[in-house]
Amino acid sequence: GDPDNTRTPLILWGAGVAEPDPDDQYNTQDAYSAPWGALSKLRRRDVRQADLAPLVSSLIGIPIPLQSEGQLPVEYLRNKKFALQALVRNAKQMLENYKVKESVERLKHSWWAPFIPYQTSVSVATERMGALEVKPSVEECHELMREIAAGITYLNNYDQTILFALMTAGFVGWMAFGMLA
């Protein structure tokens, strides 16, 4: 969990990659990045590891992997029109990922409880994706992707409570058996 073990530098250059911004107005430096010398004068842009798949896929021109839960960090892309189109594709990919996971969970459980904050807006989200083709907005895409990511997290953790209960019952049962033996 130490930052020296978990942080990995991401250095991008080449066609399509935005140039670094000076750090004057952002002040993104901290004790970790202070000894970086000349790089300390540039804005640090942190990304999650999951965000690398959409970023690299967009840069090399291939579709974003279907199971990717990452969100494209558009500030790394030079051409803002291309970045917005890639962000819309990323949002559509995440929406399809959610729909597939939801259908799988719905089939697995007879006691299915949908993710209410997202379920109420899934049809609206689909319509918004159609509208984004006409006049997309980076903030609108990010808002939609946050909603979808919350839904995916809900689906990923759907069985967590029952699994914890079963594991606890198993451990307690094993301890009781051990005391009786």
Side-chain angles (χ1 to χ4, degrees):
D2 184 71
D4 288 335
N5 298 328
T6 58
R7 292 183 181 172
T8 305
L10 172 65
I11 301 173
L12 297 172
W13 74 92
V17 177
E19 294 180 12
D21 296 327
D23 193 40
D24 303 341
Q25 62 192 27
Y26 301 106
N27 195 18
T28 58
Q29 304 308 320
D30 57 10
Y32 178 75
S33 56
W36 291 359
L39 291 177
S40 65
K41 294 182 181 4
L42 301 174
R43 177 180 175 204
R44 195 179 81 207
R45 298 176 180 160
D46 295 338
V47 295
R48 298 176 314 137
Q49 199 169 26
D51 299 339
L52 292 177
L55 177 61
V56 172
S57 297
S58 297
L59 285 171
I60 63 175
I62 63 171
I64 297 168
L66 179 63
Q67 297 297 322
S68 172
E69 295 178 14
Q71 300 176 25
L72 177 67
V74 292
E75 62 271 6
Y76 279 102
L77 302 176
R78 179 180 298 156
N79 184 328
K80 296 308 172 194
K81 183 177 179 183
F82 171 77
L84 200 47
Q85 291 169 345
L87 191 62
V88 169
R89 286 191 301 272
N90 187 199
K92 285 182 177 182
Q93 170 267 329
M94 285 182 70
L95 182 60
E96 287 303 314
N97 190 5
Y98 174 84
K99 288 178 180 179
V100 168
K101 285 182 183 227
E102 181 189 41
S103 65
V104 168
E105 289 296 326
R106 190 180 298 256
L107 290 173
K108 281 184 1 185
H109 304 288
S110 58
W111 66 86
W112 171 250
F115 180 59
I116 300 300
Y118 185 74
Q119 191 62 34
T120 56
S121 64
V122 69
S123 60
V124 174
T126 307
E127 290 174 18
R128 283 170 56 196
M129 290 313 302
L132 285 177
E133 292 294 339
V134 179
K135 187 178 178 189
S137 154
V138 171
E139 188 49 45
E140 187 175 357
C141 279
H142 281 299
E143 176 189 336
L144 178 61
M145 292 167 80
R146 280 189 293 273
E147 292 173 14
I148 296 169
I152 290 173
T153 300
Y154 172 78
L155 293 173
N156 286 342
N157 298 330
Y158 190 76
D159 295 327
Q160 191 173 34
T161 306
I162 194 161
L163 288 174
F164 283 153
L166 290 171
M167 287 175 57
T168 303
F171 281 119
V172 169
W174 185 251
M175 287 189 293
F177 176 75
M179 284 194 257
L180 295 174

